[in-house]
Amino acid sequence: MLMTYGILGRMDPHLLRTYVTVARLASFSEAARELGYTQSAVSQHIAALEQDLGTPLLTRRPVAPTAAGERLLEHAGPLLLRLDAARADVARMVAAPEHGLTLAAAPTALGPRALAALPAAGVTLRVLARDDIPEAVATGTADLGLVDGLAAPSDPLRLPDVAPLTTHGVGEEPVCVLLPASHPLARRTGLRLGDLVDARWLDAPGAGLPLDHLRAANGSGGFRPALRYEGTDIRALTTLAAAGHGLTLLPCTAATGLPGAVAVPLVAPRLVHRVELVHGGSLRGAAATMADKLLEHA
């Protein structure tokens, strides 16, 4: 049975998905429970994949990837994601149009224009970390995505290459550094990013603009995190900044008018907060209507 499965199912996505699950959970029995297989079937899947590739992929006690298994994991995620994206793309072509809309958006991408373009009813809004949004759209768990980030004016964002997706720029605005009102720099009319390399920063990749974006824009290291916030709530992030736990960079519309905090525009380098609409395939129904509204004045 193993020989047949190995020959006929070379790099079979079912085998690959089983392997990824076992490696993630570090347990054959837990993987069997999650996947709905018997433990014997999971063992057979792993053995078939190891026979196909001609090398052990997992140690058994403890369960952990070998060096070859680690290399396979690097390929497995993108491969499985592409398969899921292909399935979702075909399903979009043949499925009947739906009345509802699922929108995946980064918290700072939900500006006034996006909110005004939302349909009056039938919307499911999923606030996600910005790196997870292209995957959500590609795999069909969201109809549309709104991603954002730092960019030079009119430059597109660099998004993960998870599947053939279409992107449209829908808005740009200045960015501001959010400081406590008592901060020595709070009375400045503008700040240069290079002067803030050694400041204490909030590391909030899900809610604010990530520190690696700042490092890339400045072309240097630095921007040492004083506190890491792993949520997606902008209000929590701004409260932390106002309380003096670190600086954060936000689109100016999200940073102004906050109690106990001051938003100072970033004047150099010349950067903007850019928002892009992401979708796969042709849009229909509520998704098409919202996209048209977003792009009307882009």
Side-chain angles (χ1 to χ4, degrees):
M1 178 179 179
L2 292 183
M3 179 67 72
T4 303
Y5 209 159
I7 292 173
L8 297 180
R10 295 190 176 215
M11 296 305 288
D12 184 306
H14 297 295
L15 303 186
L16 199 57
R17 207 176 295 276
T18 298
Y19 169 67
V20 170
T21 305
V22 173
R24 172 170 55 84
L25 297 175
S27 169
F28 281 70
S29 59
E30 291 296 324
R33 188 174 295 110
E34 179 172 308
L35 294 169
Y37 299 152
T38 64
Q39 186 169 336
S40 174
V42 168
S43 297
Q44 290 174 8
H45 286 194
I46 300 302
L49 192 57
E50 290 178 326
Q51 183 176 343
D52 179 18
L53 295 175
T55 185
L57 299 172
L58 293 165
T59 60
R60 271 30 180 200
R61 293 185 180 180
V63 177
T66 62
E70 290 284 5
R71 182 58 60 87
L72 180 60
L73 285 174
E74 294 176 10
H75 295 282
L79 284 171
L80 292 173
L81 177 56
R82 282 279 181 166
L83 288 171
D84 290 342
R87 183 185 297 275
D89 204 20
V90 172
R92 276 191 291 262
M93 293 181 64
V94 300
E98 303 242 347
H99 295 295
L101 167 69
T102 299
L103 171 68
T108 43
L110 289 170
R113 177 181 294 177
L115 295 175
L118 285 173
V123 178
T124 298
L125 175 61
R126 300 178 61 202
V127 178
L128 302 177
R130 57 181 52 78
D131 288 344
D132 295 337
I133 293 169
E135 179 176 337
V137 174
T139 57
T141 59
D143 303 304
L144 296 175
L146 285 174
V147 293
D148 66 344
L150 280 179
S154 300
D155 276 3
L157 299 176
R158 296 181 180 179
L159 302 180
D161 183 19
V162 296
L165 296 175
T166 302
T167 61
H168 307 274
V170 296
E172 294 181 352
E173 67 167 299
V175 290
C176 288
V177 181
L178 191 64
L179 310 145
S182 58
H183 196 281
L185 300 177
R187 295 190 178 185
R188 295 279 188 92
T189 57
L191 291 170
R192 301 172 59 90
L193 195 57
D195 296 334
L196 302 171
V197 171
D198 296 323
R200 298 170 71 250
W201 285 85
L202 290 166
D203 183 15
L209 295 173
L211 295 186
D212 58 353
H213 288 200
L214 275 63
R215 297 184 187 105
N218 198 55
S220 68
F223 302 99
R224 175 174 55 91
L227 183 149
R228 181 174 175 84
Y229 171 59
E230 296 186 349
T232 57
D233 187 343
I234 295 180
R235 183 174 180 180
L237 175 63
T238 57
T239 300
L240 289 168
H245 291 288
L247 309 184
T248 190
L249 194 69
L250 291 169
C252 289
T253 53
T256 54
L258 300 170
V262 174
V264 181
L266 186 72
V267 295
R270 191 167 173 234
L271 297 171
V272 294
H273 170 252
R274 179 177 172 88
V275 178
E276 292 185 359
L277 176 70
V278 181
H279 66 86
S282 300
L283 295 177
R284 294 180 290 178
T289 300
M290 180 173 180
D292 288 343
K293 288 183 179 179
L294 283 169
L295 297 172
E296 187 176 359
H297 302 293

